[in-house]
Amino acid sequence: MEKKIGCYICTGCGIGEALDVKALGNVAAKEQKIPVVKNHEFLCGSEGIQMIQKDMSAEGVNALIIVGCSHRVKTEEFRLGVAQMDRVDIRDKCLWVLDVPEGNETAEEDRQMMAEDYVRCGCVKVKKMNQPNPFAASTPFSKDVLVVGGGISGLTAALEVARTGYNALLVEKEETLGGKVALMHKVSPARAPYNKLEENPLPKLLAEVKGNKHIRIMNNTVVQKTVGAPGLFDVTLKNGSATSVERVGGIVIATGYRSYDPGKLDKRLGYGSSPDVLTSMEFEEMARSGKIVRKSDGKPARRVAFALCAGQRDSSHLEYCSGACCTYSLKQALYVIENHPEASAYLIYQEIRTPGQMEDFYRKVQNEGGIFIKGDIGQVSQAPSGLTLEVDDKLLRQKAKMEVDLLVLATGMETTVDTQDPNSASPVGKQVDDLPGSVLNLQYRQGPGLPSLKNNFPDSHFICFPYETRRTGIYVAGPARRPMGISASTTDAAGAALKAIQVVESVARGAAVHPRAGDLSFPSFREEGCTQCKRCTEECPFGAINEDEKGNPLFNPTRCRRCGTCMGACPQKIISFANYSVDMIGSMLKEMEIPEADDEKPRILVFACENDAIPAIDMVGRNRTPLSPYIRIIPLRCMGSMSLVWIADAMSKGYDGVLLMGCRHGTDYQCHNVRGSALAEIRLSKVSETLDRLQLESDRVKMVEVNIMDAETLPKVINDFVAAISELDPNPYKEF
Ligand code: SF4
Ligand code: SF4
């Protein structure tokens, strides 16, 4: 169908008073040859929307340029079912960020120039767009969800999937379901008043899972390998010597945790040398048996000490806090206290960490007579009856010896997921030390495991995208994702189940999951131009691209998050999207007007990531903080999509400087596409070659890290860069 573009300019929100709207319309209609150009004083109101809809039905308008406010507001109003569309922001990023004193003609002129440039950009963008055709596979998509792991997290995830009407396939490597929770005597309180031990919730949960017709359970089964992509995962399952292949749409990994090996703990704690030193799990078993006794002689254990943080928050062992063991030890202290009126429970801690309502549980144990000692345990030795602990009491500032019957070590949690170096570009597939195999054994170009975020845990972006891994369609719940207790695991499982349902539904529509949720485009490439350089296959943050035997990329559209990193990486510029391409952005920046050098109006091009930098700039507008009128902002879907050719184009066109605003990267990265801004910075290190070739100063191009919360500091960053560029001579290419 032939494209017919309509450009609709809102004159509300002060736009009509501040700008020459007729001139804006002329830019669209006469200069850019947009066939339908109209104004409305309240475009997002029902009349304005009806005007657009009428043109769509009566005039055949099928591509839209909406000129007015930021694309981040009035989203629902302008959701008109049109894929080829751009929102041109002349309010938040122009009107609201420019200081235009009344009667100051120069400032008014600058404002008008900025708005006209943005209209030009919007027109070019939509002209360069093609209608995206949603990806449809040659074989049917599955909406079933595979849940790997039959502990409390996996059971909950399967049940949540099933309750929403989807089918769950629950795979457990052991003969029975339940995982570690099956071994528990009682559990910490999960409901008000949060001060009583509760019965183990597992039997009820198991009955529900087993009775749900949407859940298929396979015990004694492991995943041998996983090929494919969301909606199209083909998972080979191994049960004894039999194998079968199941197609699923999404995957939830809920394989739980491994307790830190107590054999690795410092010898002074006595594990292995005295039978009266136990781990929390071993003590749980003892409590469940109903006999809390000294193992050395079988006599009742009335004095039980708990060593919190055993091998945790310790650079020689686990550097992190497992979060749940304080609560767990409190629970076990109550076992001791409730077991006998004369029993004593000593909790030897660094800090007690009991978030949320667990504070009430902590108070309960205090009130019940739990004895809390802030300090370290030194040497533990076997006494004639029990153990002698040397304790360095940090509050009393004294060292003391205490006699106890048992010492329980609260060891930490390690993930059971095989993870790999997140920054490695080659398949490394590093296995966790004593893991017998990979959880999914992904047949991906970038390796069989899941990239880790911190401490080997397979999280992707703990702030914005909990449950996600860096493999689309694969989510992790419970302590396999990060250390957590039972209550948090069940919440986590519900979240991961929801994510899996989102992905199977999005895939079925041919749409992306976030951060570009709903985007119907996906990358395509011109095979004959490919030099098999492998940059795209190595740099894709989500492992979306495999390779054929010749080294050509094989895109998996349903794994793709549409970040454009491959597009920015490709030196041949042969990767593009229907609605995003190197040519599109290059044409947009070339379309803007560059004043003559004599005008003394520099032009600074700002490439801003749409995930953090654009919202931060919108906030600057909302705060009405002035920005330089000489900047021109082009949003990028991720800084990883930045092509160096745009820098060369900008310099050749006569822009005086280019400022790139990506997300924070490094260990605490904020980049929604994980590595996009880090890769952009690496690419940018080569920009000096371009600038040298053009005989331009390297200071003309700068990249900064912007956080979504940076609205207060961002104006200074932008304005200082403009000031620094203004100190340089104008770009000599203006003259050409
Ligand atoms: S757009 Fe992003 S996620 Fe998709 S293939 Fe390219 S780099 Fe990978
Ligand atoms: S980056 Fe471009 S040239 Fe290199 S392998 Fe990918 S498609 Fe081919």
Side-chain angles (χ1 to χ4, degrees):
M1 193 198 302
E2 201 176 325
K3 178 154 67 178
K4 185 166 183 184
I5 306 175
C7 175
Y8 299 90
I9 305 172
C10 182
T11 61
C13 287
I15 294 170
E17 291 82 52
L19 294 166
D20 180 347
V21 175
K22 189 163 173 233
L24 291 180
N26 284 340
V27 168
K30 298 195 174 145
E31 186 187 307
Q32 297 293 325
K33 308 278 186 275
I34 302 298
V36 178
V37 179
K38 290 185 180 173
N39 304 338
H40 195 279
E41 72 271 14
F42 186 24
L43 195 58
C44 61
S46 55
E47 268 186 27
I49 299 295
Q50 278 165 17
M51 176 181 80
I52 300 171
Q53 286 171 326
K54 191 161 163 242
D55 284 355
M56 288 167 62
S57 54
E59 304 286 330
V61 168
N62 55 13
L64 298 174
I65 304 161
I66 306 290
V67 183
C69 46
S70 165
H71 77 284
R72 292 171 46 81
V73 295
K74 305 291 177 188
T75 320
E76 284 306 314
E77 286 81 348
F78 292 115
R79 205 188 294 278
L80 298 166
V82 178
Q84 297 179 81
M85 172 168 150
D86 190 37
R87 300 274 306 273
V88 176
D89 181 6
I90 56 169
R91 188 191 71 173
D92 308 39
K93 296 187 192 68
C94 176
L95 241 60
W96 286 0
V97 293
L98 296 185
D99 184 16
V100 182
E102 211 170 324
N104 184 328
E105 288 183 10
T106 308
E108 284 175 1
E109 182 187 83
D110 287 340
R111 183 170 61 189
Q112 184 70 24
M113 287 170 84
M114 183 185 269
E116 288 182 12
D117 271 346
Y118 286 155
V119 171
R120 284 186 186 97
C121 266
C123 293
V124 172
K125 188 172 182 181
V126 176
K127 282 197 275 187
K128 291 280 177 185
M129 275 181 195
N130 293 312
Q131 179 67 31
N133 293 315
F135 173 72
S138 52
T139 51
F141 289 123
S142 167
K143 290 191 178 179
D144 294 354
V145 176
L146 171 71
V147 179
V148 186
I152 194 108
S153 311
L155 291 165
T156 308
L159 193 58
E160 293 292 342
V161 166
R163 278 176 177 159
T164 51
Y166 294 81
N167 295 320
L169 171 58
L170 180 62
V171 166
E172 166 57 49
K173 71 175 167 29
E174 303 294 339
E175 195 170 341
T176 53
L177 298 171
K180 288 199 173 55
V181 176
L183 308 174
M184 290 191 181
H185 176 40
K186 300 211 170 165
V187 298
S188 312
R191 54 187 68 83
Y194 301 99
N195 63 6
K196 286 193 188 75
L197 294 177
E198 291 182 7
E199 293 306 316
N200 193 324
L202 196 66
K204 185 166 172 279
L205 180 60
L206 273 174
E208 268 192 89
V209 167
K210 287 179 179 169
N212 193 304
K213 66 180 185 340
H214 290 295
I215 301 175
R216 187 153 58 101
I217 300 168
M218 291 178 75
N219 297 87
N220 292 317
T221 303
V222 293
V223 176
Q224 201 175 44
K225 70 174 180 184
T226 304
V227 297
L232 304 164
F233 286 119
D234 286 325
V235 183
T236 304
L237 301 174
K238 187 165 183 294
N239 179 312
S241 56
T243 57
S244 59
V245 178
E246 299 281 345
R247 169 153 292 191
V248 294
I251 299 175
V252 175
I253 298 178
T255 46
Y257 69 94
R258 275 178 305 130
S259 299
Y260 186 69
D261 179 359
K264 293 182 187 167
L265 293 174
D266 300 351
K267 296 286 170 245
R268 65 185 163 81
L269 290 175
Y271 188 85
S273 53
S274 167
D276 294 329
V277 181
L278 316 171
T279 64
S280 301
M281 281 311 292
E282 288 164 346
F283 184 69
E284 195 72 34
E285 203 181 328
M286 184 182 271
R288 204 157 51 99
S289 73
K291 287 187 184 145
I292 299 179
V293 294
R294 288 198 304 241
K295 278 184 140 186
S296 54
D297 58 10
K299 293 196 173 152
R302 303 278 186 247
R303 305 159 300 167
V304 181
F306 295 88
L308 277 62
C309 301
Q312 300 185 68
R313 303 163 72 201
D314 178 341
S315 55
S316 306
H317 300 283
L318 301 181
E319 288 193 346
Y320 51 89
C321 161
S322 289
C325 1
C326 283
T327 305
Y328 200 79
S329 298
L330 290 169
K331 175 188 83 166
Q332 295 190 328
L334 268 193
Y335 291 167
V336 174
I337 293 165
E338 290 179 357
N339 185 48
H340 194 278
E342 283 171 18
S344 300
Y346 304 91
L347 293 110
I348 302 164
Y349 68 96
Q350 294 182 37
E351 282 110 23
I352 296 283
R353 292 183 170 176
T354 45
Q357 286 99 347
M358 287 306 101
E359 269 306 278
D360 294 340
F361 189 48
Y362 173 25
R363 297 271 169 255
K364 162 80 175 175
V365 179
Q366 281 181 322
N367 293 338
E368 290 296 316
I371 301 159
F372 291 80
I373 302 169
K374 182 176 172 64
D376 296 324
I377 298 178
Q379 190 61 45
V380 175
S381 43
Q382 191 73 49
S385 54
L387 301 164
T388 304
L389 313 186
E390 289 175 9
V391 179
D392 184 1
D393 190 316
K394 302 280 187 207
L395 294 181
L396 298 178
R397 298 189 182 192
Q398 65 181 29
K399 293 189 179 173
K401 287 191 177 177
M402 58 190 289
E403 303 286 320
V404 296
D405 296 312
L406 293 174
L407 173 63
V408 182
L409 305 172
T411 50
M413 301 179 186
E414 292 181 281
T415 185
T416 44
V417 177
D418 52 318
T419 52
Q420 60 193 38
D421 180 354
N423 295 315
S424 171
S426 57
V428 286
K430 192 181 79 183
Q431 305 287 318
V432 174
D433 291 341
D434 55 351
L435 199 71
S438 171
V439 172
L440 294 180
N441 192 10
L442 295 170
Q443 306 296 290
Y444 280 27
R445 158 72 174 81
Q446 292 186 5
L450 296 171
S452 63
L453 181 58
K454 265 188 186 168
N455 301 315
N456 275 340
F457 286 91
D459 218 337
S460 170
H461 189 296
F462 54 88
I463 300 171
C464 296
F465 309 135
Y467 326 116
E468 288 216 359
T469 70
R470 285 171 45 182
R471 297 293 175 254
T472 311
I474 300 172
Y475 306 95
V476 188
R481 178 171 83 82
R482 68 165 178 79
M484 65 181 80
I486 295 174
S487 197
S489 297
T490 54
T491 312
D492 221 53
L498 188 62
K499 287 300 222 180
I501 291 166
Q502 278 179 347
V503 86
V504 298
E505 283 300 330
S506 295
V507 161
R509 292 198 311 272
V513 287
H514 63 271
R516 293 193 55 78
D519 190 342
L520 296 175
S521 71
F522 55 88
S524 61
F525 89 117
R526 198 166 41 78
E527 190 170 346
E528 58 280 13
C530 179
T531 57
Q532 294 88 35
C533 72
K534 301 181 190 293
R535 287 201 200 154
C536 56
T537 52
E538 288 175 353
E539 292 194 7
C540 171
F542 303 108
I545 316 172
N546 282 359
E547 257 169 35
D548 68 13
E549 57 291 344
K550 290 189 195 143
N552 287 313
L554 293 171
F555 288 88
N556 286 274
T558 65
R559 285 188 208 161
C560 173
R561 308 262 184 112
R562 284 68 164 174
C563 63
T565 299
C566 52
M567 183 182 103
C570 179
Q572 302 302 314
K573 305 186 281 298
I574 54 172
I575 300 175
S576 62
F577 299 77
N579 53 10
Y580 194 59
S581 65
V582 174
D583 175 44
M584 172 190 280
I585 303 292
S587 302
M588 285 163 70
L589 71 89
K590 285 181 199 156
E591 201 67 20
M592 291 197 263
E593 290 198 337
I594 304 290
E596 302 283 323
D598 294 346
D599 291 351
E600 296 187 0
K601 290 186 178 187
R603 275 292 171 271
I604 314 295
L605 186 60
V606 178
F607 286 125
C609 162
E610 69 182 13
N611 297 305
D612 267 40
I614 288 290
I617 295 170
D618 282 0
M619 200 59 72
V620 171
R622 221 142 295 159
N623 294 344
R624 307 293 200 276
T625 314
L627 295 179
S628 165
Y630 303 137
I631 61 167
R632 297 292 182 267
I633 300 166
I634 295 185
L636 299 186
R637 51 176 63 177
C638 173
M639 207 37 68
S641 68
M642 190 269 299
S643 170
L644 282 183
V645 78
W646 297 334
I647 311 277
D649 285 349
M651 287 298 145
S652 309
K653 168 81 179 170
Y655 286 91
D656 297 282
V658 179
L659 184 62
L660 299 112
M661 293 182 175
C663 301
R664 195 166 72 212
H665 53 268
T667 320
D668 290 329
Y669 67 85
Q670 291 277 314
C671 179
H672 285 51
N673 298 311
V674 188
R675 294 171 67 203
S677 60
L679 290 167
E681 186 133 328
I682 294 168
R683 273 178 226 151
L684 212 57
S685 64
K686 295 171 194 138
V687 84
S688 55
E689 289 167 26
T690 307
L691 295 170
D692 287 349
R693 185 164 41 80
L694 296 168
Q695 297 186 317
L696 292 170
E697 303 87 339
S698 59
D699 300 352
R700 288 187 189 270
V701 181
K702 183 177 174 185
M703 180 161 169
V704 292
E705 294 179 21
V706 177
N707 183 316
I708 198 164
M709 306 295 287
D710 283 346
E712 296 289 325
T713 52
L714 197 53
K716 183 166 168 22
V717 172
I718 295 174
N719 295 336
D720 284 356
F721 183 69
V722 176
I725 293 295
S726 303
E727 293 289 308
L728 303 175
D729 288 336
N731 180 346
Y733 288 88
K734 283 182 202 296
E735 309 299 333
F736 298 110

